[in-house]
Amino acid sequence: MAQLLAFDLNVPETLEDQGSQEPSPYDESDVHDSFHRIIQEQTQWAAAQALELQPREPGAGTQAASGSAKGAPVHSSATLRILASMPSRTIGRSRGAIISQYYSRTVRLRRRTGRPQLGGSGRSARPSLRLYDLELDSATLQEEERQMLLVRELQSLTVTQRDHMLQGMPLSLAEKRCLREKSQTPRGKRRGWRGHRGLRCWSWLWDTCVLALHNLGLRLLWGLHALRPWRYALKRIGGQFGSSVLSYFLFLKTLLAFNALLLLPLLAFIVGVQAAFPPAPPGPGPAFTGLELLTGGGSFSHTVMYYGYYRNATLNQPCAPPLDGSQCTPEAHGLPYNMPLAYLFTVGMVFFITCITLVYSMSRSFGESYRVGSTLGVHAITVFCSWDYKVTQKWASRLQHDNIRTQLKELLAEWQLRQGPRSTCGRLRQVAVLVLVWLLCLGTTLGCAVAVYAFSELLTQQSPVSAEREGALLALPLVVCLLNLGAPYLFRGLAALERHDSPGLEVYVAICRNLILKMVILGILCYHWLGRRVGALKDQCWENFVGQELYRLTVVDFLLTLLDTLFGELLWRLISEKKFKRRGKPEFDIARNVLDLIYGQTLTWLGVLFSPLLPAVQSVKLLLLFYVKKTSLLANCRAPRRPWLASRMSTVFVSLLCFPSFLGAAIFLCYAIWQVKPSSTCGPFRGLDTMYEAGKLWVRRLEKAGPRVSWLPWVHQHLVENTFLTYLASALLLAVIYLNIQVVKGQRKVICLLKEQISNEGEDKIFLINKLHSVYERKERSRYLRLNPGDSSISLLPRQTHTRLASDPARAGRTQEAMKLVDDREAF
């Protein structure tokens, strides 16, 4: 470890200083004289170099050198003592102050226990001018005396109180060990040694077990920390491409967690139960051809993948058929399981859990992105507080270096965007371009919606597709995905005409346009499925058809995303490098990729009712998509040309996932459950007018079951079907949200007032210092005039002070005002 270089501070002492004692902070005249010396010295050496510290020669003792560095200001010992007595120099830094503080604590603790009080001690502490070699023998003696008093107080405490007090002291381990040894009496030492000899084996075993458990816990925590998915990959992406590109991969990780949360209840209560009690096959199923992986039909139609496979009966434990060939009857103690009720409640439960999780994630993201007390000194925090000194490996330090550099680029770019507003003509021109581009984008969206509607109507009028022509079922998903893929490229080309000042604003506008396109297309598809297909497929299982359509849309969207990554990024890079001889890598399109993720998740939520295993397909898609996008990003893309801080991107993504996506899927499923009649040939709700009627039938059975469960029908009638409680709960929720918004606004206003008060306090300090300066200038002038009555000099201020006052009219005015106040006070 490198040794610290000692310095000597040359402090010449006058005869008055040598014979005087340290001035007390409570002596007003001495304090004012000391401050007067400080002001004079700083005024005389304002333009000179700062205080020079000379290295002490090896072997030289601590002495007050008479010759100071040439050109450096010389402070008197009284001034240095006053500076050392300031709270900022003593609190939290001085060892003597710490000992004095804990001595006072032990005195208070001993007073509470009724022990006799020892003598008092002084209040002043040794100045903490580190690396300054000053001759302060009196302070050293006071510290030693205070330390002995502390040792005596520690000896008067019990062992438990003493250990607790020593643990809380902000001292080094060596100093704590020294205090413990000094505070331990010889009798206690002998007693502790004998007890240690008697229990040495048990204490060693106990300490070993505790250390082993502690190390095991640390290793488990480290293992859980290391098990976080893609930890190193996300750090690398954030350090190389910035927070804007990193937000896409973090959002992908969030969607993967949502799908896992969605899939687990479906597997436990629907898919697993039906797989344990499989229904009898209606006949020989079609053979697997491989095309089912794209179409989702064929042999997949008669599996747990789709709605039509599930039964509308109460499931029990299986039984062996009797030997006489009669019908198999369930065992007497079999556990009944109502599949229609379980199907309906499980889908409702997973949507409720997803809603709660989404709201919590959105509120947490808002709390992290829009902090109430957001500081303006984030640049200094990033520069001085971002480095992790526990990093030892070279690759980790390089990664952290890149991350901090990218953060600084983003912060500086955001700061530059606030400078230099545009002129009025420039703003009018930009508004005209924005209106034109928006009209073109909305026209493109309308054209895509009309194309999807016309093509879906054409497919509805055609006869059902046979098993030999299942490939034709990919026509509608292929058209929809091609429109979703090509329109964003047109939007991106039109956005180049807008030339937004902020890259973040450009991304938000692109997200808005892509979101409008995808939501309009999904709305037309939902109308096509529940409005047109239900009537066209009366004698067939239309739920299976809707589930297969959503599966095909998911798979085709994934395949086209892979092709777009291959041709749109890889081939563009190869052509730019080989043909044009330039390194023109494309930028990562955040808006289009994020909207693709939201679109895929919306398809999953729409298909949960008709295909319970669709979340599993979406999870596999997201896993593959992460590695494909990460590889393509690192090899084919470059960082944004204009770095920008994406601190609120995750909040925007989760908000878009909650309101347009999840809310739309919930409305679609509620309409399908409450209004649309299920198929009469398949599914757990066959033979019912609506899916919700399964819950009503269950309530009627409970009414006939007996008085023990009679409260359940009452709860269903007054709490579920009563709309007043729904409106009341909605009103309470809105009231709570409004109150929270008002509380946050009030906190922000209070924080702004406190910041303004802090600024005013600083101005008050400057004003008071200037007044004190003027008072001492007046005092020196009057003293000089009394000693030299014949001198006609106007002022005794140094040249530097006159120059500074002349260059600062406000300060000169405050000085004259202070002098006038002093004159008025003397006259009074």
Side-chain angles (χ1 to χ4, degrees), residues 339-586:
M339 178 52 68
L341 199 63
Y343 200 99
L344 184 63
F345 280 2
T346 304
V347 173
M349 180 182 66
V350 296
F351 262 77
F352 180 74
I353 294 175
T354 305
C355 179
I356 296 298
T357 310
L358 269 174
V359 172
Y360 173 75
S361 301
M362 188 169 60
S363 62
R364 182 181 177 183
S365 182
F366 266 101
E368 293 177 355
S369 301
Y370 300 89
R371 295 188 185 276
V372 175
S374 58
T375 59
L376 299 178
V378 67
H379 301 83
I381 295 175
T382 306
V383 171
F384 296 107
C385 305
S386 296
W387 186 261
D388 186 4
Y389 289 94
K390 295 181 292 183
V391 173
T392 57
Q393 298 179 354
K394 187 175 181 180
W395 62 268
S397 61
R398 187 186 302 112
L399 181 63
Q400 192 171 8
H401 175 269
D402 294 340
N403 202 345
I404 295 175
R405 181 183 60 187
T406 307
Q407 289 180 12
L408 289 175
K409 287 182 180 179
E410 293 173 350
L411 291 172
L412 292 175
E414 186 180 15
W415 177 75
Q416 289 176 357
L417 289 175
R418 303 172 184 173
Q419 311 297 324
R422 288 190 176 185
S423 61
T424 306
C425 296
R427 290 180 180 179
L428 292 177
R429 191 183 305 109
Q430 186 180 14
V431 169
V433 173
L434 283 175
V435 171
L436 179 61
V437 171
W438 268 104
L439 290 176
L440 293 175
C441 292
L442 292 178
T444 304
T445 302
L446 182 61
C448 293
V450 171
V452 171
Y453 177 77
F455 193 76
S456 61
E457 288 293 325
L458 180 62
L459 293 178
T460 304
Q461 296 175 3
Q462 294 180 356
S463 59
V465 179
S466 60
E468 292 79 7
R469 298 178 56 248
E470 281 192 357
L473 296 173
L474 295 173
L476 181 61
L478 193 61
V479 170
V480 171
C481 292
L482 285 176
L483 291 176
N484 283 329
L485 182 65
Y489 280 105
L490 178 60
F491 294 163
R492 189 175 182 180
L494 293 174
L497 303 174
E498 295 174 333
R499 296 180 180 179
H500 291 286
D501 295 333
S502 171
L505 179 61
E506 183 178 351
V507 172
Y508 292 143
V509 170
I511 287 176
C512 183
R513 291 166 181 168
N514 292 330
L515 182 67
I516 293 174
L517 172 69
K518 295 181 183 296
M519 291 300 109
V520 168
I521 291 178
L522 281 178
I524 293 174
L525 289 177
C526 291
Y527 169 75
H528 168 69
W529 292 327
L530 297 184
R532 305 292 294 172
R533 281 296 180 178
V534 172
L537 301 173
K538 291 183 179 180
D539 299 332
Q540 299 180 16
C541 189
W542 63 267
E543 292 90 351
N544 273 12
F545 177 80
V546 175
Q548 291 173 8
E549 282 280 295
L550 290 165
Y551 175 84
R552 285 190 286 266
L553 285 170
T554 303
V555 173
V556 173
D557 178 69
F558 174 65
L559 294 178
L560 289 182
T561 302
L562 294 182
L563 293 177
D564 175 63
T565 303
L566 177 64
F567 291 100
E569 297 176 358
L570 177 60
L571 287 183
W572 175 258
R573 181 180 67 86
L574 294 177
I575 292 173
S576 299
E577 291 180 354
K578 302 297 182 182
K579 186 70 176 177
F580 301 105
K581 303 297 181 181
R582 64 180 183 181
R583 297 185 177 274
K585 291 184 179 180

Side-chain angles (χ1 to χ4, degrees), residues 659-675:
F659 289 111
S661 178
F662 179 78
L663 185 62
I667 293 174
F668 172 80
L669 292 184
C670 290
Y671 179 79
I673 291 173
W674 265 273
Q675 298 295 330

Side-chain angles (χ1 to χ4, degrees), residues 132-175:
Y132 285 6
D133 191 13
L134 299 177
E135 290 287 340
L136 298 176
D137 296 335
S138 60
T140 306
L141 293 176
Q142 289 180 4
E143 179 184 346
E144 292 178 356
E145 181 182 358
R146 199 175 298 112
Q147 184 175 2
M148 293 302 298
L149 291 173
L150 177 61
V151 169
R152 293 175 186 176
E153 291 295 333
L154 289 174
Q155 288 176 354
S156 63
L157 298 177
T158 62
V159 178
T160 305
Q161 292 175 343
R162 185 191 309 160
D163 293 340
H164 181 72
M165 185 69 67
L166 287 173
Q167 287 178 1
M169 290 184 181
L171 299 174
S172 63
L173 291 177
E175 293 174 342

Side-chain angles (χ1 to χ4, degrees), residues 733-753:
L733 180 61
L734 292 176
V736 170
I737 293 174
Y738 176 76
L739 289 177
N740 287 332
I741 292 174
Q742 294 301 318
V743 168
V744 171
K745 287 183 178 180
Q747 290 175 351
R748 288 180 177 174
K749 187 175 181 180
V750 169
I751 288 174
C752 293
L753 292 176

